[in-house]
Amino acid sequence: MIGLGIWEASINTMLFRGTGRVTISDRNGEYDFKLEIVGENAPEFKISEVTESGNTLRAVAECDMFKGKKIPVSATFEGDTVTGTATLPLIGNIKVRGHRVS
């Protein structure tokens, strides 16, 4: 499994500016994700269709904020850094660069 740990990245979009935190853990051989916005109440996300390719994780996220819409996400891990993208409905591609905090 790749990317296990706690990761933070700055998010800067027209709708939101802040710090996102993702905790990636191993739950009996399956990826488990906890997504947070530091200091904010964030919508709950459901993550599915997780695949690994080298040092990159790809998945599909869904949340109530974008009802019925699937959000493709990817994250590439290099040591203690991560770069990723999410394609949000009505907004488009959001790129993030973050680091491991634990």
Side-chain angles (χ1 to χ4, degrees):
M1 299 188 95
I2 58 174
L4 300 179
I6 301 172
W7 302 85
E8 286 188 356
S10 294
I11 301 169
N12 187 6
T13 71
M14 63 182 148
L15 297 177
F16 176 79
R17 180 174 292 165
T19 300
R21 180 181 295 147
V22 178
T23 302
I24 305 172
S25 55
D26 177 353
R27 181 178 282 174
N28 301 319
E30 299 287 328
Y31 281 100
D32 186 49
F33 299 90
K34 178 181 176 190
L35 286 78
E36 307 171 70
I37 303 296
V38 177
E40 300 286 333
N41 290 326
E44 188 171 329
F45 284 85
K46 177 184 172 196
I47 307 294
S48 62
E49 302 177 37
V50 180
T51 60
E52 292 179 8
S53 177
N55 60 345
T56 299
L57 285 178
R58 288 184 176 76
V60 173
E62 295 179 76
C63 77
D64 287 342
M65 182 183 288
F66 301 107
K67 287 188 187 287
K69 303 290 184 186
K70 294 189 176 204
I71 303 164
V73 296
S74 70
T76 301
F77 301 90
E78 297 283 344
D80 288 334
T81 63
V82 60
T83 55
T85 61
T87 305
L88 299 173
L90 305 174
I91 297 173
N93 285 336
I94 303 295
K95 294 181 181 183
V96 295
R97 181 171 198 69
H99 63 280
R100 182 191 306 268
V101 291
S102 174

